[in-house]
Amino acid sequence: MDKTFTFKLGELFCGPGGIAYGALHAQSSDGKLKISHAWANDFDRDTCDTYIKNICPDTPESVYCMDVRKLDIKSLGNIDAFAYGFPCNSFSNVGEHKGLANEKFGQLYWYGIEVLRTYKPKWFIAENVSGIRSAGSGDFKIILNDMRESGYKLTVNLYKAEQYGIPQTRHRVIIVGIRNDLDVDFHVPDPAVYADIDISAQKALSDIPADAPNNEVRKIADKVQRRLSYIRPGENVWQAEESGRLPDELKIHTKTRISQIYRKLDPDKPAYTVTAAGGGGTFMYHWTDRELTNRERARIQTFPDTYEFVGKYSSVRKQIGMAVPCRLSQIVITAVLNSFAGIDYPWIEPNLKE
């Protein structure tokens, strides 16, 4: 493409806007190719309100807040680009790998296929957890084949967010599809470009403005406070117990030893993965013996401090944990735009063999 062009972006399962924010702040290196919001869908009211507030406050009607299975896809409107992080409940490494056999969640990826076949956007981006590769019986290949049969050549890669200047060890499969009839080849952006960025938790959580939204500190129980005092930065409760430091009355009695239970951030390392939900001990903990605020979680997910999440504490926590890091979205989509602009950029071969 040799002229200025703005790709109209449609989204399913848009979440609070991590992909969209990155997309709207991406542009080709020559400034000629950009992205605008066209329409989006999610089923959770708070999530949709967050998206509207931050992404498209002037066109709230462009966000369809409903179950995708009730959405009239053919009436959404033409788009040039499409993004969807289809629900990962079936594919997560935490819990059972039900895959496509799980009718409630496993089949939802198909609505994205319907969008591709209805509107034939020039390109799309799809994101999911790393566990999608081993879910079900060949589910990942089925999904990729459906995407290809919709008319797209694919580049599939496992992105490690911490390699791209993001202060979090978050590993996600991202699929970029370019329509077959277009003479455009996408390449995975080279993470070496971001090697010198300070991705420590201390850097990520520093200098949060006093008036930043969603930054309330939750009071935690005295017993939890005492337990945290025996856990060193970077450790979880099991490591504190194994070291002999943890008093008996503060030990956790459970058969499942999830590594994130009462795990503190190490200020000198990137944070561990921000999650959307979970019970006691899974809220992420600061090295100063307290739970992280939602704003701190948002910082780790590279949302700007001006990004205001709508809803109560648990709803906001879920929204942040489900999101794609804004910066990762911007990096990948910038590479897509440069590919369409014919602009070279540092790249590597995909790390996934299909």
Side-chain angles (χ1 to χ4, degrees):
M1 304 182 76
D2 57 359
K3 61 181 180 179
T4 300
F5 186 80
T6 299
F7 295 86
K8 294 183 294 182
L9 176 70
E11 285 190 84
L12 294 185
F13 316 110
C14 64
I19 289 179
Y21 186 88
L24 296 181
H25 288 79
Q27 63 178 12
S28 58
S29 297
D30 59 8
K32 292 183 177 181
L33 302 185
K34 299 180 181 180
I35 293 172
S36 65
H37 162 79
W39 48 257
N41 159 259
D42 207 289
F43 74 97
D44 178 72
R45 186 68 259 174
D46 286 347
T47 300
C48 291
D49 287 344
T50 295
Y51 188 101
I52 291 168
K53 186 178 188 71
N54 296 277
I55 302 299
C56 55
D58 297 331
T59 56
E61 71 281 358
S62 66
V63 178
Y64 300 87
C65 194
M66 64 177 71
D67 189 321
V68 70
R69 290 167 289 197
K70 299 178 181 179
L71 185 65
D72 183 4
I73 286 177
K74 289 182 170 55
S75 70
L76 293 172
N78 289 327
I79 52 174
D80 308 293
F82 175 56
Y84 78 128
F86 51 97
C88 60
N89 304 59
S90 307
F91 308 119
S92 175
N93 283 318
V94 179
E96 298 180 18
H97 280 211
K98 296 181 179 179
L100 297 182
N102 180 348
E103 182 178 356
K104 184 176 180 181
F105 292 109
Q107 301 287 356
L108 293 182
Y109 85 94
W110 183 259
Y111 291 90
I113 301 298
E114 285 196 13
V115 169
L116 296 178
R117 296 182 178 185
T118 301
Y119 296 110
K120 299 178 174 56
K122 293 177 173 63
W123 59 270
F124 76 86
I125 179 173
E127 180 265 356
N128 212 291
V129 294
S130 59
I132 189 175
R133 296 171 295 160
S134 55
S137 177
D139 288 354
F140 190 37
K141 289 186 177 180
I142 292 172
I143 292 171
L144 295 179
N145 284 338
D146 286 337
M147 291 174 173
R148 288 194 181 94
E149 289 175 4
S150 300
Y152 292 83
K153 49 190 174 185
L154 308 181
T155 304
V156 187
N157 194 67
L158 178 67
Y159 288 81
K160 297 183 177 181
E162 67 275 18
Q163 295 180 350
Y164 286 89
I166 294 156
Q168 178 186 186
T169 54
R170 190 180 191 90
H171 300 169
R172 293 293 185 267
V173 172
I174 295 180
I175 305 161
V176 173
I178 307 291
R179 210 171 64 200
N180 283 335
D181 63 315
L182 301 175
D183 185 20
V184 176
D185 292 313
F186 171 80
H187 297 292
V188 176
D190 188 352
V193 173
Y194 308 93
D196 294 332
I197 296 176
D198 184 351
I199 57 171
S200 68
Q202 187 163 42
K203 174 65 174 179
L205 304 185
S206 65
D207 302 323
I208 295 178
D211 59 349
N214 311 113
N215 199 34
E216 63 276 12
V217 178
R218 282 214 317 175
K219 180 175 173 54
I220 56 180
D222 290 342
K223 188 173 184 179
V224 172
Q225 189 81 58
R226 289 181 57 216
R227 182 178 291 124
L228 289 173
S229 71
Y230 289 96
I231 301 172
R232 293 173 178 168
E235 285 187 348
N236 58 27
V237 68
W238 318 117
Q239 291 166 303
E241 179 180 330
E242 289 164 3
S243 72
R245 294 192 307 272
L246 199 65
D248 288 344
E249 68 271 18
L250 298 178
K251 292 178 180 178
I252 305 293
H253 301 288
T254 177
K255 292 181 180 179
T256 305
R257 292 201 164 197
I258 301 174
S259 65
Q260 293 197 4
I261 297 293
Y262 293 108
R263 183 178 175 185
K264 286 184 182 178
L265 299 185
D266 184 329
D268 299 321
K269 296 180 180 179
Y272 54 91
T273 306
V274 179
T275 55
T282 65
F283 294 94
M284 301 190 77
Y285 296 91
H286 198 275
W287 53 91
T288 59
D289 300 349
R290 62 169 176 81
E291 187 178 312
L292 292 189
T293 69
N294 277 324
R295 177 50 48 194
E296 288 172 326
R297 295 185 181 96
R299 274 279 187 102
I300 292 168
Q301 286 276 59
T302 62
F303 283 94
D305 291 337
T306 54
Y307 208 97
E308 185 173 353
F309 295 84
V310 177
K312 295 183 177 178
Y313 184 92
S314 60
S315 172
V316 172
R317 178 196 174 199
K318 181 178 181 180
Q319 293 174 52
I320 295 170
M322 293 289 284
V324 174
C326 301
R327 190 178 300 159
L328 184 59
S329 167
Q330 184 173 353
I331 288 169
V332 175
I333 292 176
T334 295
V336 172
L337 297 180
N338 278 335
S339 298
F340 273 85
I343 297 172
D344 290 331
Y345 57 89
W347 57 273
I348 58 171
E349 293 291 342
N351 57 23
L352 290 185
K353 303 298 181 184
E354 303 165 36

